[in-house]
Amino acid sequence: MSAADGEAAPAQTVLPDGDRPLACVLGWVGVKERHLRKYTSLYTSRGIDVLALLSTPAHVAMPLARGRASAGRIAEALGSSGNEARPLLVHGFSVGAYMYGNLLIELGLRGGAGAAVAHRIRGLAFDSAVDYNGVPFGLSRAIAGAEGTLLQRSVHAGLDLFLSP
């Protein structure tokens, strides 16, 4: 599932029905499809279907409008009829761990249907999960494209203010 800005297509339009295992791959901020291809091919070569999220800065900067909305579409796809028997694996990179948290919230909001999806999760893999304190640095680099520039430092400072309690 591509998560380009403005895209609101339901994930199930690209997720085939079936009972094969499913890996939900949650990419890092700014990830491109070609970057995730080597990871998704590890799964598909073993007969595991993949649902991938291409995370954007908006998923973090606008957590309700973008982060939770995308997680809601993923939850909808995972719980759709035709997919209810699939064992699930979640593989998150960096901010993908944050998106997994959003997914858990969305599953919780769906009551019994969300619990049924959560009970199908058979494995979790997280690579370089970002913590709360790492968000301003990582997100500012993803937006500015380089460390130490005026733009990167300005975005970093703005995010520090935005996220401070």
Side-chain angles (χ1 to χ4, degrees), residues 2-164:
S2 173
D5 287 349
E7 183 175 315
Q12 60 267 48
T13 61
V14 295
L15 184 62
D17 291 349
D19 57 0
R20 289 171 32 147
L22 177 65
C24 183
V25 178
L26 307 172
W28 58 93
V29 170
V31 67
K32 305 289 187 236
E33 184 179 342
R34 72 183 193 291
H35 299 139
L36 282 186
R37 201 168 288 135
K38 71 178 178 180
Y39 298 103
T40 60
S41 68
L42 291 171
Y43 295 116
T44 57
S45 68
R46 289 164 176 77
I48 300 171
D49 290 334
V50 175
L51 173 68
L53 174 70
L54 305 178
S55 297
T56 67
H59 285 113
V60 179
M62 298 185 295
L64 292 176
R66 295 297 176 106
R68 289 272 302 280
S70 292
R73 288 192 299 277
I74 292 170
E76 186 178 307
L78 297 176
S80 66
S81 67
N83 291 307
E84 62 273 341
R86 291 175 176 257
L88 300 173
L89 168 73
V90 178
H91 191 162
F93 297 89
S94 186
V95 79
Y98 164 78
M99 290 304 296
Y100 176 64
N102 281 327
L103 177 60
L104 291 177
I105 291 168
E106 288 297 318
L107 292 174
L109 292 175
R110 296 175 194 293
V117 172
H119 287 293
R120 293 182 5 236
I121 297 173
R122 299 292 183 257
L124 300 169
F126 293 103
D127 182 347
S128 306
V130 67
D131 66 355
Y132 180 79
N133 295 321
V135 169
F137 175 73
L139 192 55
S140 66
R141 283 196 59 202
I143 292 170
E147 184 179 349
T149 64
L150 178 59
L151 176 61
Q152 185 267 326
R153 292 192 318 262
S154 299
V155 172
H156 187 142
L159 287 168
D160 273 337
L161 282 173
F162 179 70
L163 295 173
S164 64

